[in-house]
Amino acid sequence: MATGRGKSGSKQPILVAVDFSPDSLAALKWAIQQADLLAASIIVLHAIHDPADSPGFYSRPGQSDLAFHGDVAREMMADFLKQVARLEAVRSGRVEISERLIDGLPAGRITELARTEAAQMIVVGNRGRSRLSSLLLGSVAEQVIREAEIPVVVVKAERSPAEPEPAKPAQSGDTPEQGT
Amino acid sequence: MDAPLDHTALVIGLFGGLALFLFGMDIMTDALKRAAGAYLKDILARLTRNRFTAVAAGAFITGIVNSSSVTTVILVGFITAGVMSMSQSVGVIMGANIGSTVTAQLLAFNISSVALPAVALGFLVSFVSPRETIAQYGRMLLGFGLVFYGMGVMSDAMQPLRSYQPFLDMLARLDSALLGVLAGALFTAVIQSSAATTGIVIVMAGQGLLDLETGIAIALGANIGTCMTAGLAVIGKPREAVRAAAVHLLFNIAGVVIWIGLIGVLADLVRAISPNAAHLQGAARVAAEAPRQLANAHTVFNIANTLIMVGFTTQIARFVEWLIPDRPIRLEEAATPKFLDRLLLGTPSIALQQVRFEIERMGVQVVAMLSDALDAASATSIQQMDRLAERDKSVDALHRAIVGYLAELSASSLREEDGRDVLRLLEAVNLLEFIGDRIAINIRTTTQKRLRDGVVHDPDYLAKLGRIHGNIVTALSDAIRSVSASDPDLAREVVARKTGVNRLRHAIERDSAAMLRGKKADLTAYMRAIELLEILDGIFRSARAIATTQLDQDGDEETPAT
């Protein structure tokens, strides 16, 4: 499914892929700073996909009935975006954020959406929820770097709980067309 | 010299017996699904919290309905609906194999002597019981009897084969594990019942026509063949559902790979652990021992496979994702039903749940139309309203599809609660469609009239109308959720909104009356303003009626929902 709000800016958007982890939040905050500098809009993507951690990524405590994963993801996204709503760049409307929820495997969906939205850059958190998947395929970030045709920035959250993330790019990938 | 074989009697006995067996299985599974279907959803929802309880859920459900295919088809339905992930389903699928051992163990009982009494008693109960649930248990007993009667018929038909040399020569050539597995897989895929294959193998082993090792190979093959049903069920379904069917197939193939070289060891093991009929000799001893040995072998390898692989559910899930990648992002067709799976019509409680999902999906479209309706109704051109009215086509298409599905569902025998649910959901979906029409036809018509008359709504009126509109949008959204989640508390909240909405309506009516007074009296503007208000109020009444369909569930008396 796909939901959106707001329009893309005149420049190519920055695509931020999130799994609502602290690293994802750091990635989004870093992307907002960049978007502010570049006068670009941001697309926040969450690929609805359960990474097999029991009891299930979209299970909620006390939930005794089957819930639509899409609905749970939408609530998670809303809570997640609240955490950046007060940032000056967002509050003032300088950086426009739209959201997308799409069923599918994260790495593939990220690179696919980057192509269809003609994004200028992909920003992802360093370590997400699906650490076990790296056994077979590598982390989502690694897969995105491998498959993307545009620059990819991987952001780490600072591990100290006191200060919010002054995020820093950890790696980047280039394309012949678009250098970083 | 061998006695001449009566081929006609053999074919009639075999096929007639198999037909009785499959018919009995069908009746038994169908009756169990109808009687216990309501609990299946809850069991799955509660027990898929971790991989071990998921295995238990799969085993329990399959053990109850006597069919691993039913379990996987239900899983495919839930995954397609987006309420369960493929990863969550892996444990359930593994458990389904364990559940299927219950059937094999039942079949190994030599109880063909009680088959006809069970048929008679089952028929009597299903015929005379005034309560649908009890009647379903009667049908279950009837099916159970038919299964064993069919086995008895097959067994009698095969008896002459014990001394028919050409057949024994053919079986001797089949004496290879791989051929046995292939035969079991193929036969099960064709008749879509691993229980029937196991039943026939038990009959043949009981007649001394098959040795234990070949019987085990065929039963292993049946585990692969049974994946055919889920494989057919996922045609055209989302990738997650296709992956679940692939997990089922891969898991069972892996199980065969593990055991195919160990069939001799397994045979020795079950000979050691199964009851021994040392007091009998020859064919009588084989007939007494072989069925239970085969059933035990079936149980041992299915449980062992799950124990071996339950620790790797995550890796299996990732592997299948790698094997079956996503399709390109595609916006789903709003007018095409997503959840109405005809394969689930045989499990009415699950089918009704799918209808609720589809109503929610249709409801989201109607709520979105209603949300946009006020802007379109106060716009300066009709184009916005035309685009909005266009969206009603997909609402109508979903309405037609849901009503058709409910009609098919109600054509089968339903439990009383399920029958009442069909009526409630039918009423809800009709009201929802009616709301779509009110927006697409009534609001559009009044907007057309307003534009024709050159009326521009007063900003103060629009602000107040915006408040009542916001209330009605929330009420409709809650009413739909009360249906999709069968939530009478939420339904009551919707009904209780009446006072607040009425107060807002009266306030707007009072203020609008001012348009009729003084020098600037404008009758046309007043009529258009009141018309729009009345349409919105009508939509609110329909939303309340949708919520009311869920309130009868609370009462003890069986008040009709319509």
Side-chain angles (χ1 to χ4, degrees), chain B residues 203-496:
Chain B
V203 166
M204 290 177 81
Q207 291 287 352
L209 294 170
L210 278 183
D211 61 18
L212 184 56
E213 284 77 2
T214 311
I216 291 174
I218 296 175
L220 278 170
N223 266 21
I224 295 179
T226 197
C227 300
M228 184 69 155
T229 316
L232 292 175
V234 295
I235 292 173
K237 295 287 191 313
R239 282 303 211 221
E240 273 289 274
V242 178
R243 289 182 191 126
V247 166
H248 192 201
L249 181 64
L250 281 178
F251 175 63
N252 286 347
I253 289 178
V256 170
V257 170
I258 291 170
W259 287 103
I260 198 162
L262 300 171
I263 288 178
V265 178
L266 182 59
D268 291 341
L269 174 72
V270 294
R271 279 193 192 99
I273 61 170
S274 304
N276 186 307
H279 58 286
L280 297 172
Q281 290 300 316
R285 181 168 179 180
V286 170
E289 289 180 348
R292 184 64 56 204
Q293 287 170 352
L294 256 167
N296 285 345
H298 186 260
T299 303
V300 167
F301 70 66
N302 275 308
I303 291 179
N305 286 347
T306 300
L307 288 178
I308 291 166
M309 285 185 253
V310 72
F312 300 102
T313 53
T314 308
Q315 286 75 7
I316 292 171
R318 295 290 84 78
F319 177 68
V320 172
E321 282 168 355
W322 173 80
L323 206 63
I324 303 171
D326 280 321
R327 293 192 187 103
I329 301 172
R330 199 184 55 182
L331 288 177
E332 60 184 44
E333 286 282 332
T336 313
K338 193 176 164 191
F339 305 121
L340 306 180
D341 192 336
R342 299 194 72 253
L343 285 170
L344 295 171
L345 284 170
T347 319
S349 305
I350 307 284
L352 285 167
Q353 181 62 47
Q354 300 296 105
V355 170
R356 288 191 188 95
F357 291 153
E358 201 67 63
I359 289 179
E360 169 147 353
R361 187 160 165 262
M362 176 180 164
V364 166
Q365 294 183 23
V366 178
V367 168
M369 279 175 71
L370 182 60
S371 297
D372 297 344
L374 197 54
D375 275 353
S378 49
T380 50
S381 88
I382 196 71
Q383 282 171 345
Q384 203 174 332
M385 200 64 232
D386 281 345
R387 281 198 298 274
L388 188 65
E390 191 66 20
R391 285 153 62 184
D392 192 42
K393 284 183 181 164
S394 77
V395 171
D396 287 346
L398 287 180
H399 172 248
R400 237 187 335 270
I402 294 171
V403 170
Y405 192 78
L406 285 172
E408 277 194 77
L409 193 59
S410 57
S412 60
S413 64
L414 296 174
R415 295 182 315 148
E416 286 163 27
E417 302 99 284
D418 291 342
R420 279 200 298 272
D421 270 358
V422 166
L423 292 177
R424 286 191 187 106
L425 293 174
L426 199 58
E427 190 184 358
V429 79
N430 287 338
L431 286 161
L432 202 51
E433 192 266 345
F434 183 57
I435 292 175
D437 285 350
R438 277 188 185 258
I439 299 167
I441 299 169
N442 299 20
I443 297 187
R444 186 177 179 282
T445 307
T446 187
T447 307
Q448 247 175 344
K449 287 198 254 175
R450 178 184 64 76
L451 289 167
R452 184 199 60 203
D453 298 340
V455 171
V456 177
H457 284 311
D458 174 54
D460 187 43
Y461 161 80
L462 280 179
K464 286 180 179 137
L465 198 67
R467 280 182 62 200
I468 196 168
H469 171 257
N471 268 279
I472 296 169
V473 168
T474 311
L476 178 60
S477 181
D478 286 351
I480 292 160
R481 274 200 298 129
S482 77
V483 174
S484 66
S486 307
D487 185 345
D489 292 337
L490 192 57
R492 254 180 242 109
E493 282 176 33
V494 174
V495 174

Side-chain angles (χ1 to χ4, degrees), chain B residues 13 24 72 106 125 181 198 318 350 399 420 525 530:
Chain B
T72 45
L106 268 178
V125 171
V181 168
T198 318
R318 295 290 84 78
I350 307 284
H399 172 248
R420 279 200 298 272
I530 290 300

